[in-house]
Amino acid sequence: MTDIATRVYNHTWKIDPIVRSVLDTDFYKLLMGQTIFNRHRATRVTFGIHNRSTHIRLAEIIDVGALREQLDHVRSLKLTRGESTWLRGNMFYGKRQMFSPDYVAWLEGFRFPAYHLEKRDGQYELTFEGPWVETTMWEIPALAIINELRSRAVLKGMGKFELQILYARAMARVWEKVQFLKTLAPVNIADFGTRRRHGFLWQDWCVQSLIEGLGEGFLGTSNCLIAMRREVEATGTNAHELPMVYAALARNDEELAWAPYQVLADWQEDYDGNLRVILPDTYGTSGFLKRAPDWVAHWTGIRIDSKDPVEGGEEALAWWQARGQDPRDKLAIFSDALDAEEVARIHRTFLGRMRLGFGWGTLLTNDFRGLAPNGALDPISIVCKVVSANGRPAVKLSDNPTKAMGPAEEIERYKRVFEVGEQVARHALV
């Protein structure tokens, strides 16, 4: 097992680059990438970093030269022969050749496109503009780089003994959580922590702890590189990005209202089984479910992300029942800022009422809360989201208004079209 503290103390980034492979990304990026490749190759999309934890002035913590160095390193990466073979021949969700030969061939020739970086008011403005199928690939590496550079800046002044103690305490914390979750058996947990991880080596350690600690209760990891190396399942489906772009491309209010369902119509042509999991909260879960065509209720499951998880779970149960479905056959995946106690609360509430899965993210792979002075290693709420598509502004409403994004006038238009009323704000921890 890697001695992380020693690697950090003796650190040179050429030995441990933050992003070390095209596959050091989340599985849903490749799944969505194939749909984009097949249907929207000509669409131009801009992504941008947004730090919701504005009190953390990243441009004053992270050296701009180090940031450019890591971003430029990512632009030098290409898919290796072994990685290509894994994509072509491995079984994902029980299916071989999940990815078409044309798409894998495109990935083999893919290089990360240019980026634009500047400082403004203590924050970094980092954007990626170009063909959607290319710029989408920047989301996960960009977030991983910023989060790990922040961690490295804090750790830089620590001695070898101090680092050993820091990581020992963090490891004990993770292991205690894993042992607690094991008592909930049956429990099904996947690692969703790539985007805001403390570091690659730490995420890999966390996955190993889940493999040993949970056994069959560990579903896999969203990180493709770790899944390949550790020979575990690669997990994930789709994200808010798809409806955000489809909605931005809508020519009128009628097309806008239909855009989230057009995403699903395209997705079910591309994928089946456990990949048919709806993510309904981009423009409000309640309205989405109310207006959803009947065929959506036949999908395998739902991901409950930005709404209170118990409230969202009860809403999903009622919706399935109203649509003539047996919720016990349905899958609910919970994924918003989960930690062990919250998993236990959800598990107690819904066990036996529907199938349960948990995507454990930042508070698995970056829970160093209180382990550095003044909360310097506490996780922050940072995202990389669609800013525009073909020059049109992109909007996200969410079930949590603190996560809303887009120009104010467009947010109001979307609220009208999607019939979104008063919303209750929840603190966005991550």
Side-chain angles (χ1 to χ4, degrees):
M1 185 175 291
T2 302
D3 182 347
I4 300 175
T6 299
R7 285 279 273 272
V8 170
Y9 183 78
N10 296 328
H11 180 73
T12 71
W13 81 262
K14 294 185 186 303
I15 295 174
D16 279 324
I18 291 174
V19 177
R20 52 198 72 198
S21 165
V22 174
L23 289 187
D24 188 6
T25 192
D26 280 339
F27 189 55
Y28 74 70
K29 273 292 154 184
L30 302 185
L31 294 169
M32 292 194 300
Q34 181 163 246
T35 289
I36 296 165
F37 175 81
N38 291 338
R39 302 172 187 279
H40 297 282
R41 224 174 300 180
T43 301
R44 297 187 68 82
V45 169
T46 300
F47 283 78
I49 292 286
H50 176 58
N51 177 20
R52 295 189 292 228
S53 302
T54 54
H55 64 288
I56 304 296
R57 297 172 66 84
L58 291 172
E60 297 173 3
I61 298 171
I62 297 170
D63 177 74
V64 67
L67 178 54
R68 288 191 181 278
E69 198 168 35
Q70 294 291 341
L71 293 168
D72 290 341
H73 171 71
V74 170
R75 296 197 67 203
S76 73
L77 296 173
K78 61 182 180 179
L79 207 66
T80 69
R81 182 175 297 178
E83 292 167 347
S84 175
T85 300
W86 181 74
L87 288 174
R88 291 180 185 275
N90 194 55
M91 183 176 290
F92 302 103
Y93 285 91
K95 180 178 179 180
R96 292 203 182 277
Q97 295 185 320
M98 177 74 76
F99 301 106
S100 71
D102 286 349
Y103 179 56
V104 177
W106 177 84
L107 278 172
E108 290 169 342
F110 167 73
R111 302 294 182 274
F112 284 84
Y115 60 88
H116 177 75
L117 176 66
E118 60 180 276
K119 294 182 180 181
R120 191 181 304 274
D121 298 326
Q123 303 293 345
Y124 282 115
E125 287 192 357
L126 177 58
T127 56
F128 314 95
E129 193 279 330
W132 186 11
V133 71
E134 296 180 6
T135 56
T136 187
M137 297 291 286
W138 263 118
E139 178 192 358
I140 309 302
L143 289 170
I145 286 169
I146 290 174
N147 277 285
E148 187 163 348
L149 282 178
R150 175 176 173 251
S151 298
R152 290 183 180 188
V154 174
L155 300 175
K156 189 175 182 180
M158 293 186 179
K160 183 181 294 186
F161 186 79
E162 188 176 9
L163 286 169
Q164 291 284 0
I165 297 302
L166 175 90
Y167 280 105
R169 292 172 68 193
M171 287 175 178
R173 176 178 290 178
V174 170
W175 188 246
E176 287 171 2
K177 292 180 184 182
V178 171
Q179 292 303 295
F180 170 72
L181 291 169
K182 189 176 182 180
T183 67
L184 304 178
V187 65
N188 298 300
I189 293 177
D191 157 42
F192 276 17
T194 302
R195 294 182 300 161
R196 288 184 284 264
R197 69 194 182 195
H198 172 78
F200 174 82
L201 294 177
W202 182 249
Q203 183 183 12
D204 186 48
W205 185 91
C206 289
V207 168
Q208 292 177 72
S209 73
L210 291 173
I211 292 171
E212 181 172 324
L214 293 183
E216 293 183 358
F218 178 53
L219 295 177
T221 174
S222 64
N223 187 288
C224 298
L225 182 62
I226 295 175
M228 182 182 72
R229 290 182 175 180
R230 298 295 169 192
E231 297 185 331
V232 297
E233 291 288 336
T235 63
T237 52
N238 53 65
H240 301 107
E241 169 186 344
L242 290 177
M244 287 178 70
V245 174
Y246 276 55
L249 298 177
R251 294 167 295 182
N252 51 53
D253 287 357
E254 183 179 3
E255 288 189 1
L256 175 58
W258 178 250
Y261 309 114
Q262 185 60 53
V263 170
L264 302 188
D266 289 349
W267 190 264
Q268 71 178 0
E269 286 188 11
D270 295 342
Y271 303 110
D272 54 22
N274 283 344
L275 290 178
R276 290 189 183 175
V277 175
I278 62 174
L279 177 62
D281 69 323
T282 310
Y283 304 118
T285 295
S286 297
F288 177 97
L289 296 178
K290 178 183 176 182
R291 294 185 297 271
D294 285 340
W295 52 265
V296 176
H298 292 278
W299 275 37
T300 303
I302 187 171
R303 182 153 72 92
I304 297 169
D305 190 54
S306 59
K307 182 169 277 194
D308 174 83
V310 169
E311 181 184 343
E314 295 291 357
E315 187 172 26
L317 284 167
W319 178 68
W320 280 320
Q321 290 168 340
R323 297 297 180 102
Q325 303 294 307
D326 186 346
R328 292 172 298 181
D329 297 330
K330 298 297 185 178
L331 172 66
I333 299 173
F334 297 84
S335 61
D336 186 27
L338 293 183
D339 208 359
E341 291 292 344
E342 185 72 338
V343 170
R345 180 174 80 102
I346 298 166
H347 189 267
R348 285 193 302 268
T349 304
F350 296 113
L351 184 65
R353 302 171 67 192
M354 55 188 175
R355 295 160 54 208
L356 298 174
F358 299 92
W360 194 9
T362 307
L363 297 181
L364 166 67
T365 62
N366 201 1
D367 188 5
F368 285 71
R369 290 174 294 179
L371 298 185
N374 302 315
L377 284 177
D378 292 9
I380 61 175
S381 181
I382 186 169
V383 294
C384 182
K385 293 292 186 183
V386 176
V387 176
S388 65
N390 283 351
R392 298 176 179 178
V395 172
K396 180 185 176 186
L397 298 181
S398 179
D399 286 321
N400 183 355
T402 63
K403 294 185 176 183
M405 301 182 69
E409 64 277 10
E410 283 297 293
I411 287 177
E412 290 306 311
R413 175 185 169 229
Y414 276 59
K415 284 184 175 180
R416 173 178 56 80
V417 169
F418 291 106
E419 301 175 12
V420 175
E422 291 296 319
Q423 294 178 298
V424 178
R426 300 174 65 221
H427 173 62
L429 176 63
V430 293

